[in-house]
Amino acid sequence: MTTGEGFIAPKFDDDAGRKLAIICSKGTLDMAYPGLIIGNGAVQEGIETHLFFTFWGMDIIRKKTAGKLSLTPVGNTAMRIGSTSLAMPTLMGVIPGMTEMASWMMRGKIKALDVPTVPDFLTQISDAGGHLWACKMSVDMMKLTKDDFVPEVEDIINVSAFLDLARGAQIVFV
């Protein structure tokens, strides 16, 4: 372990044995991509990678929603129009159809960068050896089953099992 003033982090001399655990807790289009991009990058670098989907993050791995994630401008303080106030997009977000328009625009920007869709990213990560897990408590709470998830999800596990898998890993919460 590397320690410093108020800082503790795993020390990796090389990538052998390196692990990354990503907790995906939000299922909007703009919050799905950070975990998927980091996870994909890690697995492509040969790092053992585990993605744990919990609460609304399970929309990323649900068959019904994975390809239809949306971006809502309502209450999203990060959305700006040029240099205007943050209040303007929030007010505009309540106009019917704005969520669909914002989602359509974001998908277009993602596609223009040749970034995979959410379902394609899940397949790519899994095919490269990454591991996708659904949170048991969230699954039970939402009355879901393994059949509700894309086939790349290995299993539904509780937090104790996830922590065992994540032992020694760098953990990222999205």
Side-chain angles (χ1 to χ4, degrees), residues 19-76:
K19 290 170 74 172
L20 179 65
I22 303 169
I23 301 166
C24 300
S25 67
K26 297 168 187 72
T28 58
L29 187 61
D30 56 325
M31 293 306 295
Y33 275 96
L36 296 176
I37 290 168
I38 293 167
N40 185 61
V43 77
Q44 296 300 327
E45 292 292 323
I47 298 168
E48 180 181 333
T49 305
H50 298 271
L51 285 86
F52 184 68
F53 298 87
T54 187
F55 285 94
W56 310 124
M58 289 193 312
D59 280 350
I60 299 167
I61 56 172
R62 286 182 63 199
K63 290 175 187 173
K64 183 177 175 180
T65 54
K68 302 175 190 171
L69 300 180
S70 62
L71 169 70
T72 180
V74 175
N76 189 337

Side-chain angles (χ1 to χ4, degrees), residues 5 41 51 74 86 91 110 124:
E5 197 172 317
L51 285 86
V74 175
L86 297 177
L91 290 173
I110 291 167
Q124 189 171 318

Side-chain angles (χ1 to χ4, degrees), residues 13-14 17 35 39 46 57-58 60 62 71 76 93-94 99 103 118 122 126 135 137 139-140 167 169:
D13 293 328
D14 57 42
M58 289 193 312
I60 299 167
R62 286 182 63 199
L71 169 70
N76 189 337
V94 299
T99 294
S103 301
V118 168
L122 296 170
S126 178
C135 171
M137 188 204 79
V139 167
D140 291 348
R167 188 178 314 279

